Amino acid sequence: MSTTNFALFGAKPAFDKPLPIGQLYFPSWQRYEAAFHGIFERQYYNNNGPLHNKLEEKLQQFLGVQHAICVSNATIGLMMVADAMGLSGKVILPAFTFIASAQSLTWAGLKPVFCDINLATHQIALDQISGLIDKDVSAIMGVNLWGGSCNPKELSKLAAANGVQLYFDSAHAFGCTVDGVSIGNFGDAEVFSFHATKILSATEGGCICTNDENLAERLRSIRPSYGTDNPVSIVRVANARMSEAQAAIALMSLEDFPENQKNNETLYRYYETQLDTIPGLHLVRPTGVSFSNYQYVVCSVDEREFGIPRDLLIEILKAENVVARRYFYPGLHRTIPYVNDLSYYQDRLLNTDSLCASCIQLPIGALVTAQSVERICNILIQAHQSSAEISSRYEK
Ligand code: T4K
């Protein structure tokens, strides 16, 4: 293929409009209308409304967890958990995650301690955690990335052996299981994101899961700015309420979860067969789970094998209207809030730095079709085959 066929060099883009990353679930207009009709009839928008309460019940059944506490987004859910668990000092978490994981700690007055990751799985490097634990560390925050898990069972042993608490940022892991047990049941608490780009969407939203009665009461007391009828002793309250409108959409999304998961898995398998034939593109498998939501398609680009650097590949895809991204970038230790400690981390987070320079996320989700994936894979194949020509033409 000649470079003249690429939109980057002036050809017509492969897609007429941008194909977004993320799940972006939109049920039929009739279903929206029916759900919102009920809200209007009841004239009840917020504050432990019937749809909100139904959603919590359904989530508890679906996940087999005692308490599912819906919140307005996962970021505030993580902040609440850190506070409700009474954490102090430092918390260990991977450097390769979304900024919200670390910012929830900063908001709670805690210091994040960044751990490196395993390059094959992208999950926290279990063998490096013990070396980071000192007397000031009160907890480990595991992050279950990309529809896989960070091995909650091993992390539980590690936390218990070191006398620290354990909880999870499971923003990416709704519906995933580990040896048949739903994520949501591990550690002291787990937090899911129901953002529009996640497989379970409330447009914005999230949910804290716990099997600890006392912790659940504390969280329920923190969630509304006015406390609850039966408040437990807490120092700070927040406003993390989920509205009826959010709950209505989340209920439809939960009902359609099996279909959306299946669509994702089909698309993922297609990517898998195609990407495995392209030298230098290494697709990450959702490891450590017995069932995955296949919420993300993420691979690393080996520039020497593929022939094109990651960032140029993103430009090529962008020109074709494929919204590919370099998630997560940069590693959290290089972000403004934490950059003062960079000299400490300089040589300790080598896998994180390497992955941040090579990672690319491709479109998957309810708005993506098999034909779109086929077209994206063709662009990737052709980009590899024309890599020398593209590189020399791009440099000019
Ligand atoms: N922990 C982890 C590991 C996380 O990944 C996240 C969030 C959190 C915690 C915190 O969860 P939340 O507090 O957000 O519940 C997105 C999401 O906002 C965020 O939820 C997600 N992770 C993060 C990795 O990505 P942005 O700012 O990059 O997304 P945005 O708005 O640019 O959307 C992505 C693409 O989708 C774009 O191409 C635009 C398109 N889009 C998006 C929306 C919302 C649409 O076409 N329509 C839409 O309605 O953060």
Side-chain angles (χ1 to χ4, degrees), residues 200-219:
L200 198 140
S201 169
T203 68
E204 275 287 359
C207 164
I208 307 169
C209 291
T210 181
N211 288 315
D212 180 326
E213 197 71 33
N214 188 266
L215 185 60
E217 275 193 42
R218 293 170 69 78
L219 288 163

Side-chain angles (χ1 to χ4, degrees), residues 149-368:
S149 91
C150 57
N151 201 338
K153 291 187 174 175
E154 277 310 306
L155 273 176
S156 296
K157 286 186 207 156
L158 226 150
N162 287 283
V164 296
Q165 299 189 75
L166 173 67
Y167 68 112
F168 293 91
D169 174 342
S170 297
H172 294 186
F174 185 82
C176 301
T177 64
V178 175
D179 297 332
V181 178
S182 289
I183 289 187
N185 285 277
F186 296 96
D188 292 306
E190 300 207 43
V191 181
F192 294 112
S193 169
F194 297 161
H195 180 254
T197 53
K198 305 293 188 286
I199 192 159
L200 198 140
S201 169
T203 68
E204 275 287 359
C207 164
I208 307 169
C209 291
T210 181
N211 288 315
D212 180 326
E213 197 71 33
N214 188 266
L215 185 60
E217 275 193 42
R218 293 170 69 78
L219 288 163
R220 287 207 166 95
S221 291
I222 294 172
R223 178 174 55 181
S225 48
Y226 49 79
T228 57
D229 289 346
N230 190 15
V232 292
S233 167
I234 44 163
V235 179
R236 277 180 285 266
V237 292
N239 176 2
R241 297 186 294 262
M242 178 186 271
S243 75
E244 287 290 275
Q246 289 169 296
I249 289 160
L251 278 165
M252 290 185 269
S253 185
L254 184 61
E255 204 175 303
D256 291 347
F257 173 84
E259 198 184 311
N260 288 332
Q261 185 279 341
K262 208 161 160 226
N263 180 53
N264 276 357
E265 184 163 2
T266 306
L267 299 179
Y268 182 91
R269 295 285 170 228
Y270 190 81
Y271 270 118
E272 193 172 40
T273 51
Q274 295 299 304
L275 296 187
D276 282 355
T277 66
I278 310 175
L281 283 190
H282 304 292
L283 178 69
V284 67
R285 265 69 179 175
T287 42
V289 284
S290 38
F291 185 81
S292 174
N293 55 24
Y294 292 99
Q295 190 172 278
Y296 291 103
V297 176
V298 173
C299 44
S300 57
V301 183
D302 181 332
E303 182 182 340
R304 274 177 311 170
E305 282 182 59
F306 186 69
I308 289 175
R310 186 268 313 264
D311 290 351
L312 177 51
L313 180 58
I314 288 175
E315 289 302 313
I316 292 169
L317 290 165
K318 206 162 98 188
E320 304 291 349
N321 269 331
V322 177
V323 183
R325 286 201 170 182
R326 48 180 194 177
Y327 270 0
F328 300 105
Y329 182 89
L332 293 185
H333 57 300
R334 295 183 185 279
T335 58
I336 289 167
Y338 310 111
V339 83
N340 286 347
D341 291 335
L342 188 58
S343 57
Y344 170 79
Y345 289 116
Q346 204 79 44
D347 299 319
R348 292 170 198 254
L349 299 170
L350 297 178
N351 287 349
T352 302
D353 282 336
S354 153
L355 193 56
C356 288
S358 63
C359 189
I360 182 170
Q361 196 183 334
L362 298 168
I364 192 167
L367 297 188
V368 179

Side-chain angles (χ1 to χ4, degrees), residues 59-78:
L59 288 168
Q60 281 158 198
Q61 283 162 13
F62 182 87
L63 299 166
V65 70
Q66 278 176 35
H67 301 279
I69 300 161
C70 288
V71 287
S72 46
N73 58 66
T75 307
I76 199 160
L78 288 165

